[in-house]
Amino acid sequence: MPEGDTIFRAARTLHRALAGRKVTRFESVFPALLRVDDQAPLRGQTIERVSAAGKHLLIEFSDRLILRTHMRMNGSWHIYRPGERWRQPRSAMRIVIATDEFEAVGFNIPVADFHRGEVAGLDALGPDILTEEFDAAEVMRRMRMHNEEEIANVLLNQRVMAGVGNIYKSESLYAANVNPFDHVKNLDDETIAKVIKHARSIMRRAAIESRNRWAVYERGGDPCRKCGARIEYRKQGTDVRGTYWCPKCQSSKAVRM
């Protein structure tokens, strides 16, 4: 699943190409989108803004209509010049928003809907880790509401902190030397603050550089670059996502408080 940094970069690219331009063509395979478009045609509207909210990508139009898309596992947005050959087949197309100079094509997007004025449900998200307004103290408060849960699972909870996915869950806990299976209640505030700080730092760097050399993610069985111990891998959480960690650098501390 694309993580917050991927959505952030996609929104930034789309905004640069589309913001301030008028829609000349709109296509979609989603019947619900076409029904809304019949009632309030996008053609002729100005694209005001493209932004990210956690793992949601929002395209705002001049009549207060907002297109929300969620990439899930395989969705992506591409930008092309008119007439330029697409890098994916037409059968993968889900949405096209064209202007005179560019066309944005959404491929394999599983979730897309229109909202008027504001997007329902986004107010339930925790602070977005990539925004300038990020509130670490509020994230700490929300984490403490999940004291009985393992820290790695809490990091993935978008209602606690929006944007972190499976990669950065493992990477930030490694950077903070915290065992992913420790319960939140067994971590003091300083340790949790360190996890939040590392998660934000790593993701903000990835959002700018668009690539990373992972310390533990997908390195199960390889030696830790710090201590040489073997990187471990285990399924974790109710949705059974994989977790990578170094058992020596991230040894579990029974009670850190």
Side-chain angles (χ1 to χ4, degrees):
M1 177 183 294
E3 303 203 27
D5 65 312
T6 302
I7 306 304
F8 179 88
R9 289 195 303 273
R12 181 177 56 194
T13 300
L14 289 171
H15 181 82
R16 288 172 177 170
L18 303 178
R21 303 186 186 278
K22 292 186 181 297
V23 177
T24 58
R25 188 175 86 260
F26 176 74
E27 298 179 44
S28 179
V29 301
F30 293 100
L33 297 189
L34 294 177
R35 284 197 296 271
V36 172
D37 191 48
D38 287 341
Q39 298 169 13
L42 288 181
R43 185 172 180 176
Q45 288 192 39
T46 299
I47 301 163
E48 300 283 353
R49 181 172 180 246
V50 184
S51 60
K55 298 184 180 182
H56 304 265
L57 189 143
L58 311 177
I59 303 176
E60 302 176 35
F61 301 91
S62 51
D63 74 340
R64 299 180 66 247
L65 199 64
I66 301 173
L67 174 62
R68 177 190 74 100
T69 57
H70 196 293
M71 305 300 107
R72 293 279 173 87
M73 293 300 295
N74 300 311
S76 62
W77 280 98
H78 293 193
I79 287 288
Y80 299 98
R81 292 285 185 179
E84 184 180 356
R85 184 175 180 179
W86 293 355
R87 294 189 298 275
Q88 293 203 29
R90 176 83 187 183
S91 60
M93 183 277 285
R94 300 294 180 267
I95 302 170
V96 176
I97 302 172
T99 68
D100 285 336
E101 295 194 29
F102 297 99
E103 58 181 18
V105 186
F107 293 106
N108 297 313
I109 292 172
V111 178
D113 43 39
F114 276 123
H115 299 260
R116 184 73 65 182
E118 61 182 26
V119 180
L122 290 188
D123 56 349
L125 292 176
D128 190 319
I129 194 169
L130 289 174
T131 62
E132 294 297 332
E133 303 79 22
F134 178 72
D135 187 343
E138 174 60 15
V139 173
M140 173 81 73
R141 186 188 72 81
R142 295 186 182 214
M143 281 193 170
R144 285 297 179 202
M145 296 171 64
H146 298 268
N147 265 341
E148 300 300 322
E149 300 177 35
E150 295 171 343
I151 182 64
N153 293 332
V154 175
L155 280 176
L156 293 179
N157 187 332
Q158 300 300 294
R159 292 174 179 264
V160 172
M161 179 167 60
V164 176
N166 213 39
I167 295 173
Y168 297 106
K169 170 198 75 177
S170 292
E171 291 294 306
S172 58
L173 290 170
Y174 174 78
N177 296 321
V178 173
N179 188 281
F181 303 96
D182 275 348
H183 288 77
V184 174
K185 67 181 180 182
N186 291 335
L187 304 176
D188 59 25
D189 287 353
E190 181 180 357
T191 299
I192 293 178
K194 185 169 27 170
V195 172
I196 297 170
K197 179 180 178 181
H198 279 294
R200 179 165 162 79
S201 174
I202 293 169
M203 287 194 66
R204 283 172 67 88
R205 184 170 65 248
I208 295 171
E209 298 175 357
S210 76
R211 61 182 179 179
N212 259 309
R213 178 173 179 256
W214 307 126
V216 290
Y217 185 73
E218 291 190 333
R219 295 193 63 240
D222 292 345
C224 171
R225 295 191 176 108
K226 292 180 183 177
C227 71
R230 177 180 174 179
I231 301 298
E232 299 288 342
Y233 170 82
R234 188 194 305 174
K235 295 289 187 179
Q236 183 179 16
T238 56
D239 55 358
V240 198
R241 299 192 191 184
T243 296
Y244 297 84
W245 82 104
C246 172
K248 183 175 180 180
C249 293
Q250 297 169 263
S251 60
S252 180
K253 309 296 190 296
V255 177
R256 301 189 186 201
M257 297 189 71

